[in-house]
Every structure is written in C-alpha cells, then in structure tokens.
Amino acid sequence: MLSRLQELRKEEETLLRVKAALHDQLTRLKVEELALQSMIRSREEDAAVPAAAAAESQETLGQMDNEAAINQTELQLSLQDHEEEEEEEEESDS
C-alpha cells in the first residue's frame, strides 16, 4: 500500500514536470505565432518590399523554425528522460 502511494506520488511529480514543459513550449509557440502574424501584417502593409528586406525576413523565419525545432527536440528528450526514470524506478521497486 505504501509503495503504491510512493509510486503514485512519483507519477504525479513526473506529470507535473511534463505539464510545465508543455506549458513552456505552448508559451514559446504563442510568442512565435504573434511574431509571424506581425511579420505577415507588416508585409501586407508594405507590398513593395525591397529584395534585401525580403531576404532578411526569410532568414528570420528560418531562424524561428530552427528555434522551434530545437525547443521541440528538447521537450522530446526531456519526456524520454522522465519515462526512462519511471521505468527504472518501477524495475527497482519490483
């Protein structure tokens, strides 16, 4: 009974960490979305954008895509670490 309670507490801690990581990721994505929307509005207002400015905005979008990919990879690695820890704890409890 006591070990089951400890196991549930560990699961709760893991779920809270995952929730926090997902919340952080969601916040980052919302910020990126706002930045992209702002860039789109700016582009629509400035229909005649010089070629140099267009290239710069493409580079910025590429950087944002890279940053999103890095954040997603970090989240996946974090989740994998937590899952591995849980599996190891379950094996040691058995």
Side-chain angles (χ1 to χ4, degrees), residues 33-50 53-54 56-58 60-61:
E33 179 185 20
L34 291 173
L36 288 171
Q37 287 175 348
S38 175
M39 290 174 68
I40 290 169
R41 273 191 228 107
S42 175
R43 228 183 241 173
E44 289 172 351
E45 291 172 1
D46 302 332
V49 176
E56 183 179 309
S57 66
Q58 282 298 102
T60 303
L61 282 173

